[in-house]
Amino acid sequence: LSAPTAGRAHGAGTSQAVSVRDATPADLSVITQLFNALIPTTTIAWRDHLADAAEMQTWFVSQAVDGHPVLVAEAGGDVVGYTTWVWFRGGPRFPGYRHSRELTIHVDGRRQGVGVGRALIDALVDRGRAEGVRVLVAGVDAGHDGSIQFHRPLGFLEVARLPEAGRKFARWLALVAIQRVLADPP
């Protein structure tokens, strides 16, 4: 997947086309930066420590082995976001969930609100449809309404709230489950 998308990024007063492609190992340092960016200061990711290069390399290889796409968005020659999915609720161990995936998306804070996230989700949805995925699920911290609002116009609906499902910064956190039904598997 490397065709330009309809999204346009407007950074520093310029307009740049956003293209989405499969990630390569050369993208891992930027993907790691994007993944780590909000861990120390927010509850967007419910973990306390930053990911290091070894962890991300292991993750990247595992994604490839499992057949999960890792897509990056580029604007002006720079990687400015990424998205991927993982098995939902255990994947092959529980085959009843084989047509569902849980996504994650990370966009450079300087590029939010200008089409990068939409381009990534659109590409992930296209990939899901091509691979027979019926449902994409995302788990969002209830305190991050902006993340929930980002997904709504992209066809995601809130389907559940799980109070006190996680903990960070010495407080209990609620998880909001949102999902988008793509299509019947072939």
Side-chain angles (χ1 to χ4, degrees):
L1 182 71
S2 59
T5 66
R8 307 289 294 173
H10 305 283
T14 63
S15 177
Q16 298 174 330
V18 176
S19 61
V20 176
R21 62 172 173 79
D22 286 293
T24 69
D27 299 315
L28 272 176
S29 64
V30 176
I31 289 171
T32 302
Q33 291 170 12
L34 291 166
F35 178 81
N36 284 333
L38 300 174
I39 290 172
T41 59
T42 74
T43 56
I44 285 181
W46 293 358
R47 62 185 279 160
D48 299 318
H49 62 284
L50 300 179
D52 62 20
E55 176 188 347
M56 294 303 284
Q57 175 65 33
T58 299
W59 164 80
F60 190 72
V61 169
S62 175
Q63 289 295 91
V65 167
D66 287 342
H68 300 315
V70 178
L71 306 176
V72 294
E74 286 185 318
D78 296 324
V79 172
V80 295
Y82 81 95
T83 189
T84 189
W85 66 46
V86 295
W87 299 114
F88 180 70
R89 304 230 355 136
R93 186 164 176 238
F94 295 94
Y97 297 108
R98 69 186 165 277
H99 298 291
S100 299
R101 302 291 186 276
E102 183 175 355
L103 74 90
T104 189
I105 182 169
H106 297 264
V107 174
D108 183 321
R110 298 165 295 183
R111 301 296 183 113
Q112 292 177 356
V114 296
V116 173
R118 174 178 284 280
L120 284 165
I121 293 294
D122 287 348
L124 195 67
V125 165
D126 289 346
R127 183 70 60 95
R129 286 184 174 134
E131 294 185 17
V133 173
R134 179 172 170 79
V135 175
L136 285 176
V137 177
V140 180
D141 179 83
H144 292 281
D145 193 56
S147 293
I148 297 166
Q149 295 305 320
F150 160 75
H151 285 87
R152 272 201 184 113
L154 300 174
F156 288 82
L157 301 174
E158 182 177 324
V159 293
R161 285 190 177 247
L162 292 80
E164 299 184 12
R167 190 165 174 81
K168 186 173 179 180
F169 300 140
R171 69 180 194 266
W172 292 106
L173 304 171
L175 183 70
V176 176
I178 57 176
Q179 77 171 31
R180 177 173 171 179
V181 176
L182 305 185
D184 288 328

